[in-house]
């Protein structure tokens, strides 16, 4: 029997190990057993870092988390309806759930849950490699529970579902399967691949919110383009939108976006704007409503398509800088970045970059009050004059406050003629 006790101590911070041991002891006192489950167990076996601790108790998760909360200055959040709890302190966080089984009244619906054993809890999970647990109770500390062949599948580098109806119960597992396959460099096991293909239409049973969440997870991956390209190959990507493509063009743009965002990651909006870049206006609106995109992300997608229609103008080399400014000004920043990454014309790209790095920060020094003090009558046209001054700054005709004052005096002189 595999024991991961020492692996836990080697790979997880002492703070977490202590908490898990204390929690295992309290669970035993309460007459239950505690387990570490899911992705963190998979990653322990793969020797990959993962600090997302999911603990499952055969007993009562909320009672256990409450007792633990008394042992340290931690914030406790509970969800009595689901019998789950979260404990957070300093930079740490741990999720507690009560072992449960799930049954699905219909495809894509949220499941009906009942308290149950750890075996049943593991059986409701997506893939064998995510369906292992490590016992944390003092007398069985470190024992690996692997009823469904997760360890063998890790060795054989396979993504395998636990039962025939898995994708029907929860079609988001289709996207999750592709994500793990590409992240880990594994393969979908033959039978799993066949069922995945068979059940692709079940993606229509999933709400836009849940699909959006899957996309958010994909965009957190190191190379999301691999997942999207695999999704295209298997006919999954067209379920986002029939015109969607995940080919080499997209891969190059995603890589360039990452280079630009380093050391951070490109935003959800930027990745999505690139993914939807080749859609038309109407098609992108369909995507926005299907994914129920929140305001800021919807704006990035919309702006990015709208700005695309100005690229032809932006590819003229002799454009004045003020003209460049007014064409681009007002669009969301990620939409501008998406266009600069996607556009073919080097001149248009240069204009977009000049805007992002320079023009958007250019402002005249003088304001409305300064103009009035200099002799302009307080009237609505002052706004126009300020705009002319702004253009003069953008085009480099004035470069200092003194230059601006001189230009304004010239204009005042002309007025009086
Ligand atoms: N899970 C599942 N089916 C889903 C979502 C989650 O069975 N549709 C289970 C899996 O056992 C998974 C665990 O819940 O391991 C936790 O979910 P999540 O945090 O999404 O997965 P991780 O494996 O931790 O994924 P990641 O490494 O991407 O954080």
């Amino acid at each position: 029997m595999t024991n991961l006790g020492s692996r836990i101590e080697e790979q997880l911070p002492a703070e977490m190990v202590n908490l898990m041991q204390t929690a295992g002891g309290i669970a035993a006192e309460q007459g239950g057993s505690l387990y570490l489950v899911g992705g963190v167990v998979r990653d322990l076996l793969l020797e990959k870092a993962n600090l997302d601790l999911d603990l499952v108790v055969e007993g009562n998760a909320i009672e256990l988390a409450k007792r633990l909360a008394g042992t340290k200055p931690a914030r406790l959040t509970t969800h009595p309806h689901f019998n789950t709890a979260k404990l957070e302190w300093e930079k740490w966080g741990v999720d507690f759930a009560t072992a449960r089984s799930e049954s699905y009244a219909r495809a894509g619906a949220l499941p009906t849950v009942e308290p149950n054993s750890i075996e049943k809890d593991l059986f409701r999970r997506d893939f064998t490699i995510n369906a292992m647990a490590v016992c944390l109770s003092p007398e069985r500390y470190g024992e690996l529970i692997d009823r469904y062949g997760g360890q063998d599948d890790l060795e054989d580098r396979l993504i395998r579902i636990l039962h025939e109806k898995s994708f029907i119960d929860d079609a988001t597992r289709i996207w999750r399967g592709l994500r793990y396959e590409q992240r880990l460099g594994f393969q979908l096991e033959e039978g799993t691949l066949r069922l995945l293909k068979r059940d692709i239409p079940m993606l229509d049973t999933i709400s836009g919110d849940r699909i959006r969440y899957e996309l958010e997870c994909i965009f957190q991956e190191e190379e999301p383009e691999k997942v999207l390209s695999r999704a295209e190959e298997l006919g999954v990507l067209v379920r986002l939108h029939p015109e969607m493509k995940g080919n080499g063009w997209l891969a190059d743009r995603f890589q360039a976006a990452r280079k630009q965002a380093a050391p951070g990651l490109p935003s959800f909006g930027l990745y999505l704007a690139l993914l939807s870049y080749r859609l038309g206006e109407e098609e992108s609106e369909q995507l926005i409503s299907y994914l129920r995109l929140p305001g800021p992300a919807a704006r990035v997608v919309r702006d990015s398509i709208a700005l695309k229609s100005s690229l032809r103008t932006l590819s003229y080399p002799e454009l004045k800088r003020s003209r460049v400014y007014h064409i681009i000004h007002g669009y969301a920043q990620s939409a501008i970045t998406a266009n600069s990454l996607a556009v073919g014309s080097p001149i248009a790209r240069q204009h977009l970059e000049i805007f992002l790095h320079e023009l958007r920060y250019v402002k005249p020094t003088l304001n409305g009050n300064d103009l009035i003090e200099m002799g302009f009558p307080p009237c609505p046209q002052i706004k126009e004059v300020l705009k002319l001054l702004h253009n003069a700054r953008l085009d480099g005709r004035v470069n200092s406050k003194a230059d601006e004052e001189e230009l304004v005096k010239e204009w005042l002189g002309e007025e009086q003629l």
Side-chain angles (χ1 to χ4, degrees), residues 37-40 42-43 50 52 54 124-127 130-131 170 172-173 176 179-180 183 210 213-214 221:
V37 293
V40 67
R42 173 198 70 218
D43 289 342
N50 186 342
D52 281 339
D54 282 319
R124 73 180 171 82
R125 291 171 186 267
D126 50 5
F127 304 107
N130 287 343
D170 177 1
T172 64
R173 290 173 177 166
R176 290 175 64 86
R179 182 157 63 86
Y180 291 120
R183 179 203 297 174
R210 292 185 67 204
Y213 174 74
E214 292 306 322
E221 294 290 325

Side-chain angles (χ1 to χ4, degrees), residues 17 21 24 45 50 82-83 94 99 113 208 220 247 352 362 372 392 413:
V17 179
Q21 290 173 345
L45 287 162
N50 186 342
F82 298 106
N83 216 338
V94 180
V113 302
Q220 294 295 316
N247 52 18
L352 291 158
V362 173
I372 292 167

